[in-house]
Amino acid sequence: MNPTSIFSKTGKGVQEAGGKTSHLSRADRAVLSATDGKTQMAELAIKFEKIMPDQFDALIAQLDMDGFIREVSSGAVQAVRKRAPQGPLQNRERRAGSFELSRALQTGGAQSGGRTLFNELSAQLVCNKGATQLRNISVSAG
């Protein structure tokens, strides 16, 4: 399991965590309840340090396989963000113009004007309970 992976509860998981069903043990349900779609698996493993690492990984895999949780981020976005260039490139981007993706999303593309340093941008947008994530981002510069 990737320690930077982030999982979120599915509908089945929400019902189980809320006590509407009782398919899991109390300990497994506690791990399920802590799975919030924001916390990395490494942080959850620390929170449940009494569970051996191999057992914790197996539990997460089983919850995923049984449909209680699903992976919403493999952690790749955080890694890319950490490696983003700083300094002079940012200034060059400001001079070249910008494109406000958030404004384009909020207005359904009606207010998406602007210039960018790239020719093509493609991504998968995932919306889950008010949280928006971009996945599989591909940018082509020209």
Side-chain angles (χ1 to χ4, degrees):
M1 175 188 68
N2 182 350
T4 61
S5 294
I6 298 173
F7 284 81
S8 178
K9 289 185 275 298
T10 62
K12 182 178 178 180
V14 170
Q15 287 184 338
E16 181 70 23
K20 296 201 185 281
T21 61
S22 56
H23 300 289
L24 300 175
S25 69
R26 175 174 261 159
D28 292 354
R29 192 175 302 116
V31 173
L32 175 64
S33 294
T35 305
D36 59 6
K38 299 174 190 172
T39 308
Q40 293 182 350
M41 286 297 104
E43 295 173 45
L44 279 182
I46 292 169
K47 184 176 179 180
F48 295 97
E49 63 185 9
K50 291 182 181 179
I51 302 174
M52 298 299 293
D54 291 343
Q55 291 175 334
F56 183 81
D57 290 349
L59 173 59
I60 295 299
Q62 190 65 47
L63 290 172
D64 186 24
M65 197 167 46
D66 291 345
F68 291 106
I69 61 174
R70 63 181 170 78
E71 187 173 20
V72 294
S73 173
S74 64
V77 173
Q78 289 86 354
V80 169
R81 192 177 327 161
K82 289 178 185 173
R83 284 187 253 130
Q86 301 295 317
L89 180 60
Q90 288 178 330
N91 294 334
R92 191 176 78 195
E93 287 176 357
R94 286 190 191 118
R95 284 193 304 266
S98 63
F99 175 80
E100 290 189 36
L101 181 60
S102 61
R103 183 171 53 172
L105 292 172
Q106 291 169 352
T107 63
Q111 296 180 359
S112 59
R115 296 182 315 146
T116 63
L117 294 175
F118 52 85
N119 292 337
E120 181 181 342
L121 168 70
S122 64
Q124 181 182 32
L125 178 68
V126 178
C127 298
N128 184 16
K129 296 183 182 177
T132 304
Q133 296 178 340
L134 286 174
R135 295 185 188 171
N136 304 324
I137 299 171
S138 174
V139 178
S140 300

